[in-house]
Amino acid sequence: QSSLITAMAMAVDINMLFAGCLDGSLRLYSDKLQLKSCMPWANGVVRDIIYNTKKKEVITAGSYGVKVWECELDHEAYRNDPDVDPYSIPKTKDGQVIPWCYGKYQHARQRLQLNVPGARTLGAKNDPTANTNSLSWCERITLHEATQMLFAIVEGSIYGYELQKGDMVLCFRDLHQLPITCMLYVPDSDMLITSTADASATVWRIAGGEPHRFKTFGKSSAPMHHIVADRALQYILTAGMDGQVILWGLDSLQPIYKM
């Protein structure tokens, strides 16, 4: 069970599947599920992974906190390998190596660790939460790629970070008494949608950096685990833990199609 996968993310632009495993490694698979790379990283139990297409970085959440990882190429190992096939490494048109596609000649390097209030973090030096069993890990993260803002969900609270330096820019404490299962941020409409363990969803209007409860919708038989919006911001798609997928109108928040 040491190689058990605990979290996965698909990088569509490079056709790679990122997998965090219990053996302390990050494994990369091709779109045909062929193992391309296995990299050790000090990252504990990974519960969520996001691939940031814009920055070519991997963001993880789990027992060791919320971290941002970048690809570090091992040029020396590549040059010193007599059996290397130079045509096996994909490159851009100008000859640059594509990050995360360097096979065994690459490493995952931690670029940033975010400070998430109220989240238990194992393995951190001088961390007062390291031995506090009453705290929960941060197990859910969401990336708004257009604004490069990362949201960390801890129980009923949401914290937003800019990803250049990792500064917290939004802090929504205790939005819900029950744990938040998923969320959607729509900055163009100053809107935040959250779903909780009681299988309902709430719309919040953001004014002056503060959330204000607007309405509740989508009461179903099971909690939602994903909410996504289309690029035109006309519809949202929700997926429930009972297997139900529903298409909603974003303005009306009325169901259009269920399956």
Side-chain angles (χ1 to χ4, degrees):
Q1 297 293 322
S2 61
S3 60
L4 180 69
I5 295 173
T6 57
M8 295 187 299
M10 185 68 192
V12 178
D13 60 332
I14 58 175
N15 288 325
M16 286 287 185
L17 180 68
F18 291 81
C21 302
L22 281 183
D23 62 358
S25 67
L26 170 64
R27 300 188 181 202
L28 270 65
Y29 295 89
S30 70
D31 54 355
K32 297 181 180 179
L33 297 182
Q34 296 176 329
L35 182 63
K36 293 295 184 179
S37 184
C38 182
M39 295 168 279
W41 59 355
N43 208 16
V45 179
V46 178
R47 297 294 293 157
D48 203 1
I49 294 182
I50 292 175
Y51 174 73
N52 186 353
T53 305
K54 193 171 184 178
K55 296 292 186 180
K56 302 295 188 291
E57 292 179 332
V58 176
I59 309 168
T60 60
S63 64
Y64 275 34
V66 179
K67 298 183 178 184
V68 181
W69 304 82
E70 60 186 5
C71 180
E72 183 177 57
L73 304 181
D74 192 344
H75 295 286
E76 184 176 356
Y78 176 77
R79 289 193 300 266
N80 295 334
D81 189 347
D83 300 322
V84 66
D85 178 8
Y87 298 103
S88 65
I89 307 298
K91 298 179 176 64
T92 61
K93 292 181 179 180
D94 58 359
Q96 297 295 319
V97 175
I98 300 174
W100 305 107
C101 297
Y102 217 39
K104 61 181 180 180
Y105 311 107
Q106 64 187 357
H107 307 288
R109 189 180 78 87
Q110 179 182 322
R111 182 181 70 81
L112 196 64
Q113 179 159 8
L114 305 181
N115 180 22
V116 182
R120 184 185 181 198
T121 304
L122 302 180
K125 296 180 180 180
N126 302 321
D127 187 348
T129 71
N131 297 313
T132 307
N133 294 326
S134 61
L135 298 177
S136 299
W137 297 343
C138 176
E139 298 187 347
R140 296 286 294 179
I141 50 178
T142 299
L143 176 66
H144 188 266
E145 194 154 335
T147 59
Q148 286 295 288
M149 186 177 294
L150 182 78
F151 294 92
I153 300 173
V154 182
E155 296 294 334
S157 301
I158 296 175
Y159 305 97
Y161 301 82
E162 59 84 25
L163 286 177
Q164 185 62 35
K165 296 181 180 179
D167 295 332
M168 185 189 298
V169 293
L170 290 175
C171 178
F172 302 148
R173 293 181 185 270
D174 302 324
L175 290 178
H176 297 278
Q177 293 182 344
L178 293 174
I180 297 172
T181 57
C182 59
M183 59 156 286
L184 174 67
Y185 179 55
V186 189
D188 293 346
S189 303
D190 292 321
M191 180 189 298
L192 175 71
I193 300 176
T194 57
S195 179
T196 55
D198 66 351
S200 65
T202 302
V203 180
W204 307 80
R205 296 296 187 185
I206 310 299
E210 295 294 329
H212 302 274
R213 191 185 298 268
F214 178 63
K215 68 179 298 185
T216 300
F217 76 101
K219 187 71 175 180
S220 57
S221 58
M224 300 175 187
H225 62 81
H226 272 89
I227 307 176
V228 295
D230 71 314
R231 292 184 178 181
L233 298 179
Q234 294 181 330
Y235 308 99
I236 59 173
L237 197 66
T238 62
M241 295 182 182
D242 58 355
Q244 188 176 56
V245 177
I246 304 177
L247 179 69
W248 308 77
L250 185 56
D251 291 334
S252 65
L253 294 176
Q254 294 297 317
I256 298 173
Y257 183 77
K258 297 181 180 181
M259 66 178 181

